[in-house]
């Protein structure tokens, strides 16, 4: 079902943007006995309840007509939040110069988790930590989040 989220992303991207917001991500997740289709939207001045409602009303008929998911689910439209997960290259572009926490698939010098300031480089990032500058490929990153504002 991992491809269901990507199919929905492609189906609704244009419609979401006509609502004056950006489509950040789409996730299809099982929590307990229920499935959730979560659509994350963003805009520079922040997301309101009205933004979520408007997007939900705009995309619901599109998803229903295309029917890309073969099981019952709840549709949720929400903000990616302050500690948003970075999963697509454009996510990294949006937060250049900000503090991020990165978890890696393989350890570097015995560590798999690093926090630092983000810069971009070709097919990856440069993470400026207190100890070093790490050059990482997107494929090396298992998870990345914008850090809380400590």
């Amino acid at each position: 079902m991992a491809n269901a989220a990507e199919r929905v992303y492609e189906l609704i991207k244009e419609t979401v943007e006509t609502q004056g917001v950006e489509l950040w991500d789409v996730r299809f997740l099982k929590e307990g006995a229920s499935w959730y289709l979560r659509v994350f939207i963003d805009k520079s001045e922040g997301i309101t309840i009205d933004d979520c409602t408007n997007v939900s009303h705009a995309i619901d008929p599109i998803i229903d007509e295309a029917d890309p998911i073969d099981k019952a689910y709840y549709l949720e439209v929400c903000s990616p939040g302050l500690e948003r997960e970075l999963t697509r290259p454009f996510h990294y572009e949006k937060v250049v110069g900000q503090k991020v926490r990165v978890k890696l698939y393989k350890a570097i010098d015995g560590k798999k988790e690093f926090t630092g300031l983000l810069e971009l480089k070709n097919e990856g990032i440069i993470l400026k930590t207190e100890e070093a500058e790490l050059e990482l490929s997107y494929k090396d990153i298992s998870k990345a989040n914008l850090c809380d504002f400590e």
Side-chain angles (χ1 to χ4, degrees):
M1 277 310 205
N3 291 338
E6 198 57 37
R7 285 196 307 270
V8 170
Y9 186 96
E10 294 304 322
L11 278 170
I12 66 172
K13 186 173 183 352
E14 190 175 305
T15 300
V16 168
E17 290 172 357
T18 65
Q19 299 298 308
V21 298
E22 177 178 50
L23 180 57
W24 185 262
D25 212 352
V26 175
R27 306 244 175 81
F28 187 59
L29 307 163
K30 186 171 187 183
E31 293 181 2
S34 300
W35 284 90
Y36 292 86
L37 180 63
R38 289 208 175 97
V39 175
F40 296 91
I41 59 174
D42 197 25
K43 67 180 180 185
S44 59
E45 57 273 15
I47 294 300
T48 66
I49 295 292
D50 287 342
D51 292 325
C52 294
T53 302
N54 293 340
V55 168
S56 181
H57 288 231
I59 65 174
D60 197 33
I62 294 167
I63 298 168
D64 281 349
E65 183 178 322
D67 198 22
I69 300 171
D70 64 357
K71 55 184 70 178
Y73 62 88
Y74 296 99
L75 174 63
E76 293 181 351
V77 178
C78 52
S79 162
L82 290 177
E83 293 188 14
R84 61 197 56 206
E85 189 170 353
L86 310 175
T87 58
R88 299 172 184 272
F90 87 87
H91 294 166
Y92 292 89
E93 293 167 14
K94 291 265 188 195
V95 299
V96 166
Q98 295 185 52
K99 190 173 168 186
V100 296
R101 181 175 301 112
V102 174
K103 293 181 182 177
L104 306 176
Y105 289 110
K106 290 183 178 178
I108 297 175
D109 296 329
K111 281 180 68 176
K112 281 189 166 184
E113 189 171 324
F114 297 89
T115 300
L117 296 180
L118 176 74
E119 290 185 12
L120 296 181
K121 180 177 179 161
N122 301 333
E123 292 299 309
I125 66 169
I126 297 174
L127 192 65
K128 292 185 173 188
T129 70
E130 290 181 13
E131 301 85 33
E133 278 189 25
L134 303 171
E135 287 189 32
L136 303 168
S137 166
Y138 292 127
K139 67 181 186 330
D140 298 330
I141 300 169
S142 70
K143 188 172 184 179
N145 291 78
L146 193 57
C147 280
D148 54 359
F149 304 94
E150 300 161 347

